[in-house]
């Protein structure tokens, strides 16, 4: 079993899909590992560290890809239309393990099938207990939520905690977290650590207790629709226009009192829902800060701009391009462990080769292409 680690080439990406620690464990499982030179350098993982872990270093992506039966990546492969053709480096029979954005990138899925690549979309790992250690979305969102609060603090003209000084008392900042998934919970915890008065909202009823356990106040319209607003997979459901209107009215009254707003709401395979309207922004205090963590999927605020900090109606709106990549050493380490945990059950203990069990729930949830076909039921062409 030969595994190749490629350097990431998408803009704003600094992470790497394997670390020296995970490479050492992969080799212990029977793998040969090849790493493209400089793949981990920005994340503070040197070529020398990979060599010491037992990997081979090669000079470019083509050589690395040619050496691997299995490719690890932290970003989906780029196409020629995007400037660099990484899909061209892949060959029939190769296995790709990477986030693919499969639900929103059908052309990529079709291209991988046409290439004869066996592709696993890591963002589709099912939310079951056994797969928690493989969940790349949760591990990356956790640190992204932490970083979002630091970005808010850096762009805010005041301090977060209450402070007693000889010159008088400084009041604490008010932070409102919209969306209480993994990122939102970490944002609540971080804002609380920094001394802010924190409130949070989410349409899933189970989050109320989680918010309160972190010392924050929960804000939501708690009607009958709210009580059933969670999918079996643990994601928020798309709410009715009537509920959205009631929730928006509640939020509009609350948001004008806030100094910091951090939005985290995403729905898999869809454009991010609008949570903070322009009218709400105009009601906020001058100098307030919004960090839109959903900007990569269209944004929870229509005024946010991808990869930019803009000032609209006196409010600073931060649209971070890739929050996990701003903490590349730790996010790479977590991703690498997720990927190690994902592949380990697939390695045959006798032959040390990859053995794909199509009956396995994790495999069924993530396998999107195999044998030249799109095989995932959510992506496969509908039969007439």
């Amino acid at each position: 079993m030969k595994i190749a680690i490629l350097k990431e080439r998408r803009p704003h990406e600094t992470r790497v899909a394997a670390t020296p620690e995970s490479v050492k464990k992969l080799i212990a499982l029977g793998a040969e590992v090849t790493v493209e030179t400089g793949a981990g350098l920005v994340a503070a993982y040197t070529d020398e560290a990979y060599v010491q872990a037992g990997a081979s270093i090669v000079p470019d992506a083509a050589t690395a890809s040619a050496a691997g039966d299995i490719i690890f990546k932290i970003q989906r492969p780029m196409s020629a239309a995007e400037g660099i053709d990484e899909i061209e480096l892949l060959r029939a029979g190769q296995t790709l393990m990477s986030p693919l954005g499969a639900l929103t990138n059908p052309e990529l899925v079709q291209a991988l099938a046409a290439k004869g690549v066996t592709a696993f979309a890591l963002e589709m790992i099912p939310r079951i207990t056994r797969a928690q250690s493989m969940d790349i979305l949760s591990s990356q969102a956790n640190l992204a939520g932490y970083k979002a609060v630091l970005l808010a603090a850096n762009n805010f003209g005041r301090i977060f905690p209450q402070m007693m000084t000889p010159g008088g008392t400084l009041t604490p900042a008010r932070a409102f977290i919209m969306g209480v998934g993994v990122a939102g919970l970490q944002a609540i915890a971080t804002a609380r650590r920094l001394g802010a008065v924190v409130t949070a909202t989410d349409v899933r009823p189970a989050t109320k207790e989680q918010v309160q356990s972190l010392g924050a106040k929960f804000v939501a319209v708690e009607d009958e629709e709210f009580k059933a607003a969670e999918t079996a997979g643990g994601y928020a459901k798309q709410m009715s226009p009537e509920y959205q209107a009631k929730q928006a009215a509640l939020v509009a009254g609350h948001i004008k009192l806030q100094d910091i707003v951090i939005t985290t709401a995403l729905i898999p395979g869809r454009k991010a829902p609008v949570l903070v309207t322009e009218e709400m922004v105009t009601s906020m205090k001058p100098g307030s800060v919004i960090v839109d963590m959903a900007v990569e999927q269209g944004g929870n605020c229509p005024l946010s701009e991808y990869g930019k900090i803009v000032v609209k109606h006196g409010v600073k709106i931060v649209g971070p391009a890739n929050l996990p990549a701003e903490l590349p050493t730790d996010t790479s380490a977590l991703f690498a462990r997720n990927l190690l945990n994902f592949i380990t059950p697939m390695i045959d203990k006798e032959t040390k080769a990859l053995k794909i069990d199509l009956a396995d729930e994790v495999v069924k949830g993530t396998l999107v292409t195999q044998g030249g076909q799109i095989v995932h039921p959510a992506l496969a062409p509908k039969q007439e």
Side-chain angles (χ1 to χ4, degrees):
M1 181 176 62
K2 298 179 179 180
I3 297 173
I5 315 300
L6 304 188
K7 183 178 180 179
E8 301 296 333
R9 288 173 166 79
R10 283 192 179 275
H12 309 292
E13 188 52 78
T14 59
R15 296 168 293 170
V16 63
T19 63
E21 175 197 33
S22 72
V23 164
K24 190 178 296 184
K25 291 178 179 178
L26 289 166
I27 291 171
L29 290 170
E32 295 177 27
V33 181
T34 300
V35 179
E36 181 185 355
T37 187
L41 200 55
V42 183
Y45 299 112
T46 64
D47 287 354
E48 182 183 358
Y50 285 111
V51 170
Q52 289 175 352
S56 300
I57 302 295
V58 295
D60 53 47
T63 308
S65 184
D69 303 314
I70 301 168
I71 305 292
F72 283 2
K73 278 182 57 57
I74 210 160
Q75 285 275 4
R76 67 185 187 277
M78 296 176 70
S79 66
E82 294 173 299
I84 300 172
D85 195 348
E86 294 182 305
I87 298 173
E88 182 62 30
L89 298 176
L90 303 174
R91 65 178 184 274
Q94 240 172 0
T95 298
L96 172 66
M97 296 183 177
S98 169
L100 299 176
L103 293 174
T104 53
N105 292 285
E107 298 86 359
L108 171 62
V109 175
Q110 290 165 4
L112 293 171
K115 268 277 189 179
V117 173
T118 297
F120 289 90
L122 299 182
E123 78 279 2
M124 298 177 76
I125 287 173
R127 290 199 161 180
I128 57 175
T129 302
R130 180 167 62 88
Q132 284 181 347
S133 66
M134 313 170 191
D135 188 350
I136 61 159
L137 295 181
S138 292
S139 72
Q140 302 303 289
N142 192 3
L143 295 191
Y146 164 82
K147 186 65 176 181
V149 176
L150 300 189
L151 275 180
N154 284 340
N155 284 281
F156 188 45
R158 291 173 40 213
I159 63 170
F160 268 45
Q162 178 173 297
M163 191 174 290
M164 312 290 285
T165 78
T169 299
L170 298 174
T171 58
R174 294 182 174 274
F176 183 36
I177 315 302
M178 304 185 73
V180 188
V182 173
L185 287 169
Q186 186 58 250
I188 292 168
T190 304
R192 287 275 297 156
R193 286 189 205 106
L194 291 178
V197 174
V198 183
T199 53
T201 189
D202 196 288
V203 298
R204 295 167 299 164
T207 60
K208 180 177 181 177
E209 187 176 337
Q210 296 169 342
V211 167
Q212 292 172 334
S213 72
L214 291 171
K217 181 181 177 182
F218 190 69
V219 177
V221 175
E222 300 184 47
D223 61 9
E224 290 304 313
E225 184 175 357
F226 171 81
K227 293 174 183 177
E230 188 168 348
T231 68
Y235 293 100
K237 284 184 179 177
Q238 183 75 32
M239 304 300 282
S240 70
E242 292 78 17
Y243 182 89
Q244 290 178 29
K246 289 188 290 185
Q247 177 72 359
L250 177 65
V251 167
H254 185 70
I255 212 167
K256 64 178 66 174
L257 306 174
Q258 306 306 306
D259 301 301
I260 306 292
V261 175
I262 296 174
T263 69
T264 74
L266 292 170
I267 300 172
R270 297 188 187 181
K271 188 176 184 295
V274 173
L275 302 182
V276 182
T277 64
E278 183 168 4
E279 185 178 2
M280 292 178 188
V281 175
T282 61
S283 76
M284 294 177 69
K285 295 178 286 188
S288 299
V289 176
I290 297 171
V291 179
D292 189 345
M293 292 182 64
V295 69
E296 291 182 74
Q297 285 185 224
N300 296 142
C301 177
L303 301 182
S304 62
E305 296 183 27
Y306 177 74
K308 295 182 180 179
I309 299 173
V310 296
V311 178
K312 300 290 177 73
H313 307 294
V315 176
K316 195 175 285 189
I317 305 173
V318 184
N322 186 341
L323 272 174
E326 296 194 27
L327 297 164
T329 304
D330 285 336
T331 48
S332 295
L334 293 179
F335 185 98
R337 291 171 198 161
N338 293 149
L339 196 40
L340 174 67
N341 293 332
F342 177 75
I343 195 174
T344 297
M346 299 187 205
I347 299 174
D348 187 280
K349 293 181 180 179
E350 300 297 326
T351 65
K352 307 299 183 184
L354 191 70
K355 186 176 180 181
I356 299 173
D357 179 5
L358 297 178
D360 184 274
E361 192 172 355
V362 174
V363 171
K364 286 193 292 185
T366 55
L367 184 64
V368 295
T369 65
Q370 187 180 40
Q373 301 294 321
I374 298 172
V375 297
H376 197 285
L379 303 168
K382 298 288 188 297
Q383 297 296 324
E384 296 296 335

